[in-house]
Each structure stands twice: as structure tokens, then as C-alpha cells.
């Protein structure tokens, strides 16, 4: 898997709304060539004839990848501070106080007020951050990574805003009801309430949210010849994953990147492989991608990730509780905020959680990199004995990916530490071409 993104529901439930920053904004999916794109096909053919020993790029692609990496790093840093500026602007201009007044004039009912106040706030934030979103999409188009037409991109942006409004309004209604009921324990009670909501969102996402942005079909329908091969991998791991849990996703209408992922929870959990992956990778490479995703599946990374996220939310809410009074005491009156239980205080709370959330993202990314490394090892082990050389198959897959989407071979270490939720491509290929416990008489870590 090239990039295991956080489930959109989890992002929507907390990161997009309660820690709104450019890092948490819905982004275009990573790229991979669609069927019929000769560049990817020729790249796959050329690499299939050579042994990969490290991730390298020819000089022209190296320069582009370095430039793209620098632009991405700078945009993340600028985006974080710009996100804080947006929230400060809303407070300084008393926009949240004005929206509160409008909501209170509409109704005395808190639920109805939430569905007046939150749409106004979300759209204000979304429109103010739109220039950054457009810039990032323009860069992807400049480097020919995104192939999504602007009307389609705008439609996705609008759908993301609508989801944020609906989910955000429900959460804000619950949050402020709890704050007004228990000014001293609201952070804990809201955390407890949020956990089943997060699980429910994770469960329904494959059925309700994901199809709003991409087309999904059962793998048995789109690539039936691969199902028996995939089942060989599952049986090698001592698992039985039904073909009904294997899905094909159309990505080629938006991006040229390859990817695969594990989505859902419990009965909705499924493994997804993009059509771009099938178009430009060999069967052996697809099997290693599948093995990686099955590693997330078998090693319990979804529920472990959920527990980790729950712990991070607990900390963020507590820090928000401990510091919101400090922020509102000198400035609340100037911003038109009556008290913490006032709708108008929400941007101030978001401002604090965004600040603390930056550090939380760093910790979360480190945890994600650890899980991704485990899934890479699992993939190599589960494919051992099924395909001739899993390490080379994985290395070829990532070499093609790096060339296609211009991945920097030597990213800034600060960038990696702050923002990378996966090991670097260079590190992953290094693992693929060196991991061989069998020839050393050592025991594999996960699959015996």
C-alpha cells in the first residue's frame, strides 16, 4: 500500500472539524497511471528487466521530485499557520459572535441553532482555506499527478464541506449541550460520547461516505482472474477473507497514483485496490500490495489505530479544557464571546486544539509509520513461497510509484518527522531488498 489514509469518517468526526487545519483537509488521493497510459506501462516493463537495489531517479525526475517535495513541505508549514490565522480572523472580526446571534434569532432550540451556526462557520473556514486547497491541487496538476477535472474537484470539495457541516453540527450540538450541563467535566463526558460515534462512523463509511467520492465494485466483478491468486495469499496466512470483502476502486478519473487500503470496521471492513494499481503493476506486485493490506487486517491495525486516536482525542480535549479559560479571559469580551457555553467560543476552542493537534499529528504519524513498517514486513512474509521474489516485486512496485508521482528520494528529515505517516519510499525499498530471515536461519516476525 502506498498510502494508508485515515478513514474519512474519523477525519470528519474529529480532525476536520475539531482540529481544522490544512493537514486535516480532504486531499486528492495519491496518484497512479490509469489503464492505457503508456508511460506507466513502459516504466513497469523497464523495471521488470532490472534488479532493484535502492530507490533512485534519473536526473530530470530527481530535480522534479526534489522541487515537489520542497513545495509540499513549505505548503504544509504555511498551511498550518494560515489555518491558525483563519480562526483568529474569525474571532477578531467577531464573525462567530455574529453567526451566534443569527442562530439565536432563528430559534431557541439548541439543535436548530447548531444547524444555523455550524454551516456558517464551516463555510467561512472552507472558503478562506480554499486558496490553499486550490494551490495544492494546482501543483498536483502541474506535475501531472492529478488528472481530475476542476468541476469534479469542486464537486468533491463541496461534498466534503456538506459532510463536515452535517457531522460538525451534530457534534457541536452534543458538545455544547455537555458544556452547558457540566462546565468542569465536559471534556471527559464528550470524549466518552464521541467513542461510539467514531466507531459508528468508521462502520458506515464504506457504505455511505466513501461511495460519494469514488466508485467501488467487488473485485470478483472487475478482476475475477485475480481472486484465486489473492486467496492463495490469505490461506498462506491462515486466514479466510471472503471475496465479498475485496473491492476494486476507480481512481484513474482523478489521479495517476497507485494505492490500496483497508476501510471499514467489523462487518464493513474491506480491502480495496485501486484500478490504477491493477493497470500498471504485475500480478506479483499486486499480491504484495494485497499482502500489505492484509497485514493491516490481520495485525489489528484498525482497532489499534482507533484506540490510539481515542487516546489522542482524550488528551486534546483535556488540554482544550485546561487552556480555553486562559484564552477567553483576556480576549473573550473583545471577540463577543459571553462564556465557554456560547456558540461563538467554538473557533477559540478550535484554535487551541489546532495548536495542540500539530503535536498530536507528529505523534500519530510516528505511530502510523510503525504500523506501516509492520505491514510491509507482513507482506514480504505472507508472499514468501507464493511468488518468486516478494522483495523485488515490492521494490519494483514502489520504484514505479516513486517515478510516477515524483517522490523525493531524500526528503527533508524535519518534513519526515512532522508530516510523513509512512516510511519514506527509500526506506521501504531498502527494507524490501534486504529483508530475508529465511536465508539467515532466522524466524519470520508474523507468518511462519
Amino acid at each position: 500500500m502506498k498510502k494508508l489514509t485515515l478513514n474519512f469518517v474519523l477525519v470528519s468526526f474529529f480532525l476536520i472539524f475539531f482540529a481544522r487545519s490544512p493537514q486535516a483537509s480532504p486531499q486528492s488521493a495519491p496518484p497512479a497511471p490509469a489503464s492505457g497510459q503508456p508511460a506507466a506501462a513502459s516504466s513497469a516493463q523497464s523495471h521488470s528487466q532490472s534488479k532493484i537495489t535502492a530507490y533512485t531517479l534519473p536526473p530530470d525526475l530527481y530535480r522534479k521530485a526534489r522541487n515537489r517535495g520542497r513545495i509540499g513541505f513549505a505548503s504544509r508549514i504555511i498551511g498550518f499557520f494560515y489555518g491558525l490565522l483563519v480562526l483568529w480572523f474569525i474571532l477578531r472580526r467577531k464573525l462567530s459572535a455574529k453567526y451566534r446571534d443569527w442562530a439565536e434569532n432563528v430559534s431557541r432550540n439548541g439543535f436548530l441553532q447548531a444547524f444555523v451556526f455550524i454551516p456558517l462557520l464551516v463555510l467561512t473556514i472552507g472558503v478562506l482555506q480554499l486558496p490553499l486547497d486550490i494551490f495544492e491541487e494546482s501543483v498536483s496538476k502541474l506535475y501531472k499527478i492529478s488528472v481530475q477535472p476542476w468541476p469534479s474537484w469542486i464537486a468533491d470539495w463541496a461534498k466534503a464541506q456538506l459532510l463536515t457541516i452535517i457531522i460538525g453540527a451534530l457534534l457541536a450540538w452534543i458538545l455544547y449541550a455537555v458544556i452547558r450541563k457540566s462546565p468542569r467535566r465536559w471534556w471527559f463526558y464528550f470524549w466518552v460520547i464521541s467513542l461510539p460515534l467514531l466507531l459508528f462512523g468508521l462502520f458506515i463509511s464504506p457504505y455511505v461516505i466513501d461511495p460519494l467520492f469514488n466508485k467501488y465494485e467487488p473485485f470478483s466483478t472487475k478482476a475475477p482472474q485475480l481472486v484465486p491468486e489473492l486467496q492463495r495469499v490469505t490461506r498462506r496466512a491462515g486466514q479466510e477473507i471472503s471475496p465479498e470483502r475485496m473491492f476494486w476502486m476507480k481512481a484513474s478519473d482523478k489521479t495517476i497514483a497507485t494505492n490500496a487500503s483497508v476501510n471499514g470496521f467489523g462487518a464493513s471492513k474491506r480491502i480495496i485496490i485501486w484500478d490504477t494499481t491493477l493497470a500498471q503493476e504485475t500480478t506479483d506486485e499486486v499480491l504484495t500490495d494485497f499482502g500489505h493490506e492484509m497485514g493491516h487486517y490481520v495485525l489489528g491495525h484498525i482497532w489499534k489505530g482507533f484506540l490510539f486516536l481515542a487516546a489522542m482525542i482524550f488528551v486534546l480535549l483535556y488540554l482544550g479544557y485546561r487552556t480555553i479559560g486562559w484564552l477567553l479571559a483576556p480576549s473573550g469580551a473583545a471577540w463577543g464571546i459571553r462564556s465557554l457555553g456560547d456558540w461563538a467560543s467554538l473557533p477559540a476552542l478550535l484554535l487551541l486544539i489546532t495548536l495542540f493537534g500539530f503535536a498530536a499529528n507528529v505523534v500519530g504519524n510516528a505511530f502510523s509509520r510503525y504500523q506501516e513498517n509492520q505491514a510491509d514486513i507482513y507482506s514480504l512474509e505472507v508472499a514468501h513461497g507464493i511468488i518468486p521474489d516478494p522483495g523485488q516485486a515490492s521494490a519494483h512496485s514502489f520504484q514505479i510509484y516513486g517515478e510516477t508521482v515524483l517522490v523525493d528520494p531524500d526528503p527533508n528529515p524535519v518534513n519526515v518527522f512532522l508530516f510523513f505517516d509512512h516510511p519514506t519510499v527509500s526506506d521501504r525499498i531498502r527494507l524490501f531488498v534486504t529483508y530475508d530471515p529465511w536465508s539467515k536461519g532466522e524466524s519470520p516476525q508474523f507468518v511462519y
Side-chain angles (χ1 to χ4, degrees):
M1 169 176 114
K2 307 305 189 288
K3 186 177 189 296
L4 177 65
T5 57
L6 282 177
N7 181 278
F8 184 79
V9 169
L10 292 181
V11 176
S12 297
F13 263 84
F14 193 81
L15 297 179
I16 284 182
F17 185 71
F18 285 99
R20 177 72 181 183
S21 68
Q23 295 107 279
S25 301
Q27 300 297 323
S28 299
S35 177
Q37 288 183 308
S42 64
S43 176
Q45 292 169 0
S46 65
H47 281 300
S48 65
Q49 305 302 320
S50 60
K51 184 173 183 179
I52 303 294
T53 58
Y55 174 50
T56 59
L57 293 176
D60 59 331
L61 293 184
Y62 181 81
R63 286 191 298 271
K64 292 179 180 179
R66 292 289 287 173
N67 289 336
R68 180 172 177 259
R70 293 188 183 106
I71 292 171
F73 183 30
S75 69
R76 291 185 183 100
I77 295 295
I78 294 171
F80 168 70
F81 288 105
Y82 181 74
L84 295 177
L85 180 62
V86 165
L87 293 170
W88 177 86
F89 174 81
I90 290 172
L91 291 166
R92 183 71 178 82
R93 300 298 296 179
K94 298 185 180 181
L95 294 181
S96 60
K98 183 180 296 184
Y99 298 159
R100 173 209 59 211
D101 292 342
W102 292 352
E104 291 178 347
N105 288 336
V106 169
S107 174
R108 291 188 177 186
N109 182 282
F111 184 79
L112 294 178
Q113 289 177 358
F115 276 88
V116 175
F117 177 82
I118 294 301
L120 293 169
L121 179 63
V122 168
L123 289 176
T124 300
I125 294 174
V127 170
L128 290 175
Q129 290 189 329
L130 187 57
L132 279 182
D133 295 337
I134 292 175
F135 171 77
E136 291 175 358
E137 177 65 11
S138 298
V139 170
S140 292
K141 284 178 167 34
L142 175 66
Y143 285 100
K144 303 187 186 314
I145 293 170
S146 172
V147 296
Q148 184 176 18
W150 280 112
S152 172
W153 184 89
I154 292 170
D156 280 353
W157 180 88
K159 285 184 280 189
Q161 299 303 307
L162 179 60
L163 284 170
T164 304
I165 287 171
I166 295 171
I167 297 171
L170 291 171
L171 285 175
W173 171 61
I174 295 171
L175 172 64
Y176 277 85
V178 173
I179 288 176
R180 292 159 187 165
K181 187 74 173 178
S182 180
R184 294 181 60 84
R185 295 286 184 268
W186 63 265
W187 60 276
F188 177 74
Y189 295 140
F190 181 71
W191 176 75
V192 171
I193 294 170
S194 71
L195 297 185
L197 294 177
L198 285 167
L199 281 176
F200 177 71
L202 182 59
F203 176 80
I204 68 168
S205 180
Y207 302 128
V208 178
I209 295 179
D210 295 345
L212 294 176
F213 297 91
N214 295 100
K215 181 181 179 181
Y216 296 84
E217 292 189 34
F219 217 73
S220 55
T221 301
K222 300 301 294 187
Q225 73 283 0
L226 277 177
V227 173
E229 298 297 319
L230 298 177
Q231 289 181 317
R232 290 178 63 203
V233 177
T234 64
R235 294 185 183 115
R236 167 80 173 83
Q239 301 288 324
E240 277 296 335
I241 298 180
S242 168
E244 284 73 31
R245 289 179 180 251
M246 303 174 187
F247 280 82
W248 167 97
M249 189 192 92
K250 184 175 183 180
S252 55
D253 57 343
K254 296 183 180 181
T255 179
I256 62 159
T258 54
N259 201 358
S261 62
V262 176
N263 290 10
F265 179 80
S268 73
K269 188 162 59 176
R270 69 226 4 227
I271 293 174
I272 296 165
I273 300 178
W274 291 10
D275 66 334
T276 48
T277 302
L278 300 177
Q280 64 173 310
E281 294 190 1
T282 66
T283 299
D284 286 355
E285 291 164 7
V286 172
L287 291 181
T288 60
D289 291 341
F290 180 78
H292 177 105
E293 299 313 320
M294 200 174 67
H296 289 301
Y297 194 105
V298 174
L299 297 176
H301 286 172
I302 290 182
W303 68 262
K304 290 176 182 177
F306 171 80
L307 293 177
F308 185 86
L309 178 61
M312 297 304 294
I313 294 174
F314 180 90
V315 173
L316 288 175
L317 287 172
Y318 178 71
L319 291 175
Y321 160 72
R322 296 293 297 179
T323 56
I324 188 64
W326 166 81
L327 180 61
L328 293 183
S331 305
W335 294 337
I337 300 173
R338 302 166 188 155
S339 66
L340 176 59
D342 180 3
W343 292 112
S345 70
L346 182 56
L349 186 59
L350 292 176
L351 181 65
L352 290 172
I353 293 181
T354 299
L355 278 170
F356 298 128
F358 186 86
N361 282 337
V362 174
V363 176
N365 286 338
F367 178 72
S368 176
R369 290 194 298 269
Y370 169 74
Q371 287 194 322
E372 293 300 327
N373 178 257
Q374 284 191 321
D376 282 341
I377 293 172
Y378 187 94
S379 174
L380 295 172
E381 293 179 355
V382 79
H384 180 72
I386 293 180
I387 62 177
D389 193 337
Q392 279 299 303
S394 296
H396 284 144
S397 172
F398 274 83
Q399 177 68 41
I400 295 168
Y401 173 76
E403 292 180 5
T404 302
V405 301
L406 301 173
V407 176
D408 187 354
D410 305 299
N412 187 317
V414 177
N415 189 11
V416 175
F417 175 73
L418 293 179
F419 300 116
F420 276 42
D421 57 3
H422 284 58
T424 67
V425 168
S426 295
D427 287 343
R428 298 180 84 171
I429 289 182
R430 188 178 302 113
L431 170 68
F432 297 145
V433 300
T434 59
Y435 186 77
D436 187 12
W438 304 277
S439 67
K440 302 173 185 177
E442 300 172 353
S443 297
Q445 293 187 34
F446 304 113
V447 185
Y448 297 94

